[in-house]
Every structure is written in structure tokens, then in C-alpha cells.
Amino acid sequence: MRHYFLLFSLLISLPILAQKNETHFIDSNKKSISHYGNDSDWYEKNIPFFEISDKEIEDVYYYRWEVYKAHLRNIGDYGYVVTEFLNAMSWDHKPYNTLNAATVFHIYEGRWLKDRLYLNNYIDFMYQHGGNNRRYTESIADATYANYLINQDKDFITKQLPSMMKIDADWQDHYDASKKLYFVEPVMDATENTISSIDASGGTDGFTGGDGFRPSINSYMYANALAISKIALLNDDLKLAEKYQQKALEQKQNFQEKLWNPTLRHFTDRFKVNNEFVKYWDFIRGRELVGFVPWVYNLPDDNQKYNSAWSRLRSPEHFGGAYGLRTVEPSYQYYMKQYRFGPNGAKECQWNGPSWPYQTTQVLLGMANLLNNYNQKEITKKDYWEILKQYANQHYKNGKLNILENYYPDEKGAIADFDQRSEHYNHSEFNDLIITGLCGIRPTQGNKLEINPLVEDNLTYFCLENVRYHGQNLTILYDKSGNHYKKGKGLSVYVDGKMVVKPSTLEKKIINLSTNKNIDQPSKEELNLGVNIREKDFPKVATSNSDSKDLNKLNDGRIWYFDNVRNYYENKIFAEKENWIEIDFGSEKEFYKTILSFVDKKDKNFIDQTCSVGILEKNGQWKKVANSNKLIANTKNDIVFDKVKSSKIRFYFESKTAESVLKIGEIEVY
């Protein structure tokens, strides 16, 4: 038998062998270890590295990748999905625990990961396996096309086209043909207790109700139609492309004509509902932050009438809260009135004033488009930076990084902050705002790449290194004085390790990329035989301990190392007793590898226990196939052995201490 072995790439802190065609201005190994400790290897292989003269922005950038990785859930047959909440919620899509409300952000953010497996699985789940159940409004087709702009995988995106068209047609159930606009109940827009829903209740409630023709859903449907048109062109289907392009143009025209509120000079809802409190087709009586969403998709015409809406964004009398952007202006009668309460009277989520990372993300995306694609004077690069900084500051709770659900706009602190629910909330994006906004990579389909950092003299340096784009490595380097990187003063750009833009002034650059026909391929997809997301039937976990509480956490497809959200099983280890955990597959399976993830103190390398692996043979006897004397905390431990067949796998744990506790986050079998 081949000697079994344990892969411990994290034990050796030597730099990973330099890849060809890369730059190395950032010590990625050192930076990765400083942010992720024992789990640094995954990040070195997957994320673009970034450093900047503003420590808070840099720290939040690396934290948000940790949040993203924590929300990658392995669901077995369909591979990986991205969740919104770390733990399961009663209102999510069972048994996957996904929600399509923030899927757009998940795709925009995740498209920058170097291993395409995660997003390929997730997009397939959305379009091939019912993940996009339309519980919430969405622009997932647009986000999927944005992902294509990075990787240029025509075959993958055109495969999604039939499902995209079906879902687009399904949304006709929210279309008013007489007005040629889409409508939605605000709670289905992921924005409960807005002006339309509160006023439709007479000011008494507003969690549900208040159907309206909203800027959000109409912008999303425009964006999806335009994306479908572009994807059809990739298939050389000119007739289909023209059909959806025309649909998008008609949507744009109707939107601008009918949802621009001339009195408020803002895009606002009009009521679909008609009752004793509000009348059908009337405009709502206040401005909301959602009125800036159309610019996320470059929908409005470039003229002063529409651009003037942005003049109120930063005004303290309008949307510009001291600690975050308000979702509703403070002049609204029910601004910040609390309607919903959770356990012990804690304040629940509402959209009548609180600052939400969800819509702050949308505003920053819209601002980047405004600064890049529009002729206007209302918004500057300084505004982008200051709102980005304000948003970054919201990521801190008591000095520690922890993005929560929503925030007070006029004082510091979170509103909805529920234990085991709100922590490390994946309902927004941040790193895509750094890459496409601050650092200025503006993805396009062709070989001309525009780079336009939204940076003024407030920063002394930044570097975004080895971003995978069109199958090439892209590095952006800015050094105000030339003394930090010693490569010259100003902005320079490198493609595949070679300088293509010499150090020069900080302004828009147009780069001609070489045609690259080699598409980055995802890593090999393997089925996790041990996962059970339904918490019943097989695979079934058992233990030598009598305590069966939380056993499902051992194979629920989730693993993270945040110390304030629990997702591990505490296995008691006794020195004079056989201590084991087993997975019963229910039938014979063939496998060659298992992966164990342990949770322990952040500053700890090895855990105190050792492990051996056994399989149940057909004669009813257990046979050991591997063992490890060194297990690392807070990362994955791969144990590889000769391929075997069995219906059960068992893990034996030993400890030199008389009694100890082992925290196991996840067991995977391949």
C-alpha cells in the first residue's frame, strides 16, 4: 500500500513558488498570514492582494474576503453556494440556506476569486437548480454577464441563457401592462418598512403591503434584459439579441418618463396599491436612497435633470447621515420610527431611515458609474472616497471587524445586532468597490481596458496585484512620491508582469490587452460524500460520546473560524477510552481523502489531539488506513490514502491529557 500522507501546506511559511507572469510588489505570504493565520494558503491562491496607505480600508478589504470564504457552503451534489447569513434562517431557501436578495453582490464580489469553481457552482445553482426562486427582486443575469466580462467563458454563460429568459418571463407576474412598468411589494424588494408600505398602512405598520412601481425592480429588469441581449450576441443570435435590446430600451424610456418625480426631482415609487390611505399611480411623498439604483446600471440619460438628484446625496438635510447614508430623508413623517422588535425588545430591520450596507453598496456602484460615464458636477472622487471610508468604518464593532445588518445613520452603532444571526453579514459588497471603483478596473468585453482610479491626493500609495482578468495578470501601482515602491512617481500598470503604462499622472488610462484565447479553468470538481444539508437520513454522523447535540454541524457544508459565531461540535476526548466519530454513508462509497477542520484559539498552530482514520470492511471489522500526529487549528487538514470502498468512515482521536475537548468544525470525504 502506498504510504498515506497528510498535506500540511500551512506548516511551511516559505513563500509559494512564484507564478509566471506575476508582479511581486506585495509580500502576499506575509500579508496573508498576518490576516488569516493558519488558513492563509486558500487566500494566497484565490484573492488579488491589495495594500494602501489607509490601514482601515486595507484591513476591511482582507476581512471581507474572510467573510466571503465563510459564506461559501458546500451543499454536495451542486457544489458550492454563497449564503447571506452564516447560520440557517427560517426564511431562507431550504435546505441550501441561500437567499437570492444579495446574490448580485455575491457574484460581483466573487468574480475576482482566481478559482472559478465557486462562482460556476453558484451561478449553475441559481439557473440550473432553482436557486433563483424569485423570492426577492434581482439582477442576477446582469451580474452573471459582469462575471463573464472577467473570465470570457462564452460556453459557461450561454448555457444559462434559456433559464435567464424563463425567469425574465416569469417576472411578468409583476408587470402592469397599462403602465408598462414592473411593481413589487417592498418586502419582496428586501426593503421592508419603506415609505410606500408604511403609508399604505396609514402609518401603523409596513412590513408587508405597499406594492409600488419602484426604481429598483424596474432598473433590475432593464439590466437583465440588456444582459440577455448581450449574451444572445455571444451565441450569434441576432434576432434574440435585438428583441431583448428593444425590451431594455422600452423599459428605460418608460422608467424615465414615469418614475422621475418632477416635484422631488428624484426617481421615486408610484403606488400600485389603492386603498383608503394611498391612491394608485400617485407618487410616494418622500425621497429614498433606492432612487439612485438606476445608475448602478447606467440607465438614466446623461443630463442635468437626472444628474441633479445626486446633489442631495451628501447633504445632512437629505441622505448624508453623519455615520452612514440614510435610506429615507429625515423629513419623512415616520423617519426612524421603530415598528418591528425582536427578542427582549431589540430593534429589528427596517428601511425608513437606517443605514444599510446593501444600499450603500448600490450607491457606491452608481457613483463609480457616474464618475466614469457621465458629465456632471454633483459628485467628485472625494465624495466617493469619503462615503467608502464611512462605509468601511461601519465594519467595526467595539474595535473588532464585524459587519452587521444595519446601522444608525445619525449616531455610531448597529441597530439589528442579533447573536448568531447578524454577525459577519454577507448582504453587501466591499472588495468589488475597491477593485472597480477605488483602483479603477472597468471591465469590458473587448481587448481595450479602461483604468480610472477614483483617487485624488488623499492617498500616498496603493497596489492591487495580480488580478486575473481575461486570462492575464493585471497589477495597478500608485506611488505619489515614488519612494514607497521605488518604481517611479505616479500611476503605472502591469500586465503579466510587464509594465504597460509607465509611471504617470493619476488619471484615466486606456490599455490594449493582447488577445488571450486561454480561459482560466476552475479547479477539479469533487463531490463531498460526507455532507448532509438536510439533517436527516444519510450520510449520518455518530460518536462514541453520549452527547449528540450539534452533531449535524460536523457535516453541514459550513466552515468558518470566527470566534463569535459557533459552528462546531465539541468532542470530548478521554485518555483511557476509545474516542471516535463516524460517518455512515448508507451505502458503499469509494473515496481517497478526508478533510478535517478544527476550531481553536486564533494564535494556536497545532491542536492537542491526534487522529487516525479507519474504514468498515465487509467482514464487520474496522481497518485503519491513515493517521496524523500533527493537526492544525483554524484551517483544513487533508488526509490522503489509497482509494478504498466502504459504507462507513471512522475518525479515532487521542489525547495525552486525561480529558480534553476537541472543537471540530467540519468533516469532508472525497
Side-chain angles (χ1 to χ4, degrees):
M1 183 180 77
R2 187 183 76 225
H3 183 66
Y4 50 80
F5 58 92
L6 187 60
L7 303 178
F8 279 132
S9 59
L10 298 184
L11 282 177
I12 305 172
S13 59
L14 296 174
I16 291 177
L17 291 176
Q19 299 296 312
K20 292 180 180 179
N21 305 325
E22 292 183 348
T23 60
H24 296 280
F25 301 116
I26 300 173
D27 187 339
S28 59
N29 182 257
K30 180 179 179 181
K31 198 169 287 288
S32 184
I33 290 174
S34 70
H35 285 281
Y36 308 120
N38 292 345
D39 206 31
S40 63
D41 185 60
W42 186 89
Y43 298 92
E44 278 205 75
K45 293 175 180 176
N46 277 286
I47 70 172
F49 277 79
F50 172 66
E51 65 181 17
I52 192 169
S53 53
D54 187 289
K55 186 178 185 301
E56 181 181 76
I57 292 289
E58 182 178 318
D59 285 348
V60 173
Y61 176 86
Y62 287 106
Y63 163 71
R64 285 302 295 253
W65 282 127
E66 186 176 13
V67 169
Y68 198 92
K69 180 176 181 286
H71 283 273
L72 291 172
R73 187 185 190 194
N74 189 316
I75 59 171
D77 290 340
Y78 300 151
Y80 288 91
V81 296
V82 186
T83 62
E84 181 177 316
F85 294 90
L86 286 176
N87 288 316
M89 297 296 132
S90 61
W91 58 90
D92 59 27
H93 182 26
K94 304 298 183 189
Y96 314 105
N97 304 134
T98 57
L99 288 161
N100 74 315
T103 294
V104 169
F105 298 147
H106 301 160
I107 295 173
Y108 267 87
E109 200 96 322
R111 63 183 171 156
W112 301 107
L113 291 175
K114 295 180 181 181
D115 189 347
R116 292 179 47 219
L117 174 68
Y118 306 107
L119 269 199
N120 279 14
N121 284 169
Y122 189 41
I123 292 170
D124 272 342
F125 173 73
M126 283 289 146
Y127 282 120
Q128 308 300 321
H129 308 301
N132 184 5
N133 58 358
R134 297 195 310 122
R135 174 160 186 169
Y136 297 98
T137 55
E138 45 82 19
S139 58
I140 299 174
D142 171 80
T144 302
Y145 183 75
N147 179 54
Y148 162 78
L149 291 180
I150 307 303
N151 59 55
Q152 300 285 284
D153 191 340
K154 172 184 168 182
D155 291 341
F156 179 78
I157 193 170
T158 54
K159 178 182 73 172
Q160 316 300 336
L161 191 56
S163 182
M164 286 179 177
M165 293 166 59
K166 180 185 182 304
I167 291 172
D168 179 79
D170 288 345
W171 277 111
Q172 293 303 113
D173 62 3
H174 283 72
Y175 186 73
D176 185 325
S178 67
K179 301 302 183 185
K180 296 183 178 180
L181 287 173
Y182 293 88
F183 62 90
V184 72
E185 183 183 23
V187 71
M188 194 177 171
D189 212 17
T191 56
E192 61 274 11
N193 294 91
T194 65
I195 291 179
S196 60
S197 59
I198 292 172
D199 282 1
S201 76
T204 61
D205 192 4
F207 178 72
T208 57
D211 292 38
F213 302 96
R214 307 203 78 212
S216 49
I217 186 172
N218 285 281
S219 297
Y220 302 157
M221 296 308 294
Y222 162 80
N224 282 341
L226 205 57
I228 290 172
S229 174
K230 293 174 181 177
I231 297 166
L233 276 179
L234 296 176
N235 257 354
D236 296 322
D237 192 335
L238 301 183
K239 186 176 179 180
L240 185 63
E242 184 179 358
K243 173 186 174 181
Y244 277 90
Q245 184 182 41
Q246 186 60 35
K247 178 179 181 180
L249 290 174
E250 290 176 359
Q251 180 71 20
K252 172 187 171 83
Q253 181 179 349
N254 289 325
F255 175 86
Q256 291 188 137
E257 287 180 0
K258 297 173 181 177
L259 292 190
W260 177 256
N261 188 323
T263 303
L264 297 179
R265 291 178 293 122
H266 197 75
F267 289 113
T268 68
D269 295 19
R270 297 182 92 144
F271 287 107
K272 167 70 174 174
V273 64
N274 189 70
N275 62 23
E276 60 183 304
F277 304 111
V278 298
K279 299 304 175 188
Y280 174 80
W281 201 238
D282 280 355
F283 281 113
I284 61 171
R285 57 176 167 145
R287 300 184 189 93
E288 295 177 309
L289 204 62
V290 70
F292 295 110
V293 167
W295 280 273
V296 175
Y297 308 100
N298 294 293
L299 189 159
D301 289 336
D302 184 7
N303 61 45
Q304 179 57 28
K305 181 174 81 170
Y306 300 136
N307 293 344
S308 66
W310 289 88
S311 64
R312 288 176 288 276
L313 178 71
R314 305 214 56 210
S315 166
E317 290 75 35
H318 298 283
F319 296 106
Y323 292 92
L325 294 175
R326 304 181 181 107
T327 49
V328 174
E329 290 181 322
S331 58
Y332 175 53
Q333 179 182 0
Y334 301 111
Y335 173 74
M336 295 296 290
K337 179 179 178 180
Q338 194 65 37
Y339 291 94
R340 303 180 60 229
F341 297 90
N344 302 317
K347 293 181 179 180
E348 259 288 2
C349 296
Q350 299 179 182
W351 294 74
N352 59 336
S355 182
W356 277 85
Y358 184 99
Q359 279 191 348
T360 299
T361 295
Q362 290 180 318
V363 167
L364 284 161
L365 287 168
M367 289 177 78
N369 284 338
L370 195 72
L371 289 164
N372 277 280
N373 306 326
Y374 287 75
N375 295 307
Q376 52 82 42
K377 297 181 180 178
E378 280 75 21
I379 292 295
T380 66
K381 292 179 181 179
K382 182 182 178 184
D383 294 319
Y384 185 91
W385 171 257
E386 290 180 354
I387 291 179
L388 183 69
K389 278 286 292 179
Q390 189 182 59
Y391 177 31
N393 188 257
Q394 288 182 331
H395 285 70
Y396 288 86
K397 177 186 176 181
N398 300 326
K400 292 184 177 181
L401 284 160
N402 188 2
I403 182 73
L404 301 167
E405 293 187 64
N406 66 352
Y407 294 84
Y408 291 103
D410 306 310
E411 60 184 270
K412 190 172 179 61
I415 300 174
D417 182 3
F418 295 93
D419 183 48
Q420 305 304 303
R421 183 187 107 178
S422 303
E423 299 96 342
H424 313 294
Y425 186 41
N426 193 28
H427 191 239
S428 59
E429 66 176 63
F430 186 85
N431 294 340
D432 180 63
L433 302 173
I434 295 293
I435 295 169
T436 63
L438 189 69
C439 296
I441 298 177
R442 309 298 293 173
T444 58
Q445 184 176 343
N447 291 325
K448 283 188 181 295
L449 173 63
E450 179 182 303
I451 293 178
N452 186 27
L454 301 183
V455 171
E456 293 181 327
D457 288 338
N458 52 309
L459 294 172
T460 56
Y461 68 86
F462 73 80
C463 177
L464 179 65
E465 189 161 52
N466 298 321
V467 178
R468 293 300 291 173
Y469 181 81
H470 289 204
Q472 298 165 78
N473 286 316
L474 184 63
T475 294
I476 303 172
L477 196 73
Y478 173 66
D479 192 341
K480 184 176 181 180
S481 67
N483 295 324
H484 188 79
Y485 296 107
K486 303 190 185 306
K487 295 295 180 181
K489 181 179 178 180
L491 179 71
S492 52
V493 181
Y494 296 76
V495 176
D496 279 345
K498 297 179 181 178
M499 183 184 288
V500 296
V501 174
K502 294 181 179 179
S504 52
T505 55
L506 192 62
E507 59 187 3
K508 184 183 296 184
K509 314 288 182 184
I510 304 295
I511 300 167
N512 292 313
L513 295 174
S514 60
T515 302
N516 192 331
K517 295 183 180 179
N518 295 320
I519 297 171
D520 289 345
Q521 296 302 314
S523 62
K524 180 183 176 183
E525 188 164 355
E526 294 185 288
L527 176 63
N528 181 1
L529 301 173
V531 72
N532 185 340
I533 62 174
R534 290 172 172 80
E535 299 182 19
K536 62 180 181 179
D537 303 325
F538 298 99
K540 187 183 298 183
V541 181
T543 176
S544 57
N545 293 326
S546 57
D547 183 13
S548 61
K549 182 182 178 183
D550 293 331
L551 270 179
N552 66 289
K553 293 184 183 297
L554 287 168
N555 66 335
D556 63 0
R558 300 184 180 95
I559 180 62
W560 60 78
Y561 307 108
F562 294 122
D563 55 12
N564 58 338
V565 188
R566 176 172 172 166
N567 187 45
Y568 55 82
Y569 172 72
E570 286 192 350
N571 191 42
K572 294 179 181 178
I573 308 295
F574 301 96
E576 302 301 324
K577 181 183 174 184
E578 187 175 66
N579 309 278
W580 52 260
I581 292 173
E582 73 176 31
I583 295 180
D584 182 351
F585 302 114
S587 61
E588 187 177 73
K589 305 292 181 183
E590 185 175 64
F591 49 93
Y592 75 100
K593 177 174 70 173
T594 184
I595 301 176
L596 304 176
S597 299
F598 304 98
V599 180
D600 214 316
K601 295 178 182 178
K602 287 290 184 182
D603 58 352
K604 194 171 184 179
N605 265 342
F606 300 105
I607 63 174
D608 299 326
Q609 295 82 7
T610 60
C611 173
S612 59
V613 180
I615 61 167
L616 182 65
E617 295 190 297
K618 291 183 178 180
N619 60 10
Q621 300 298 309
W622 287 93
K623 175 185 177 182
K624 290 189 178 181
V625 295
N627 88 75
S628 170
N629 296 320
K630 292 181 178 179
L631 299 172
I632 308 177
N634 306 317
T635 192
K636 291 188 173 185
N637 296 264
D638 294 37
I639 304 177
V640 182
F641 38 84
D642 282 334
K643 191 172 287 186
V644 296
K645 289 183 179 180
S646 179
S647 62
K648 291 185 179 182
I649 185 171
R650 183 176 283 188
F651 303 87
Y652 299 90
F653 297 99
E654 295 182 6
S655 176
K656 293 180 180 178
T657 354
E659 182 177 339
S660 62
V661 174
L662 179 62
K663 298 176 181 177
I664 309 174
E666 191 72 10
I667 299 175
E668 303 166 65
V669 182
Y670 296 91

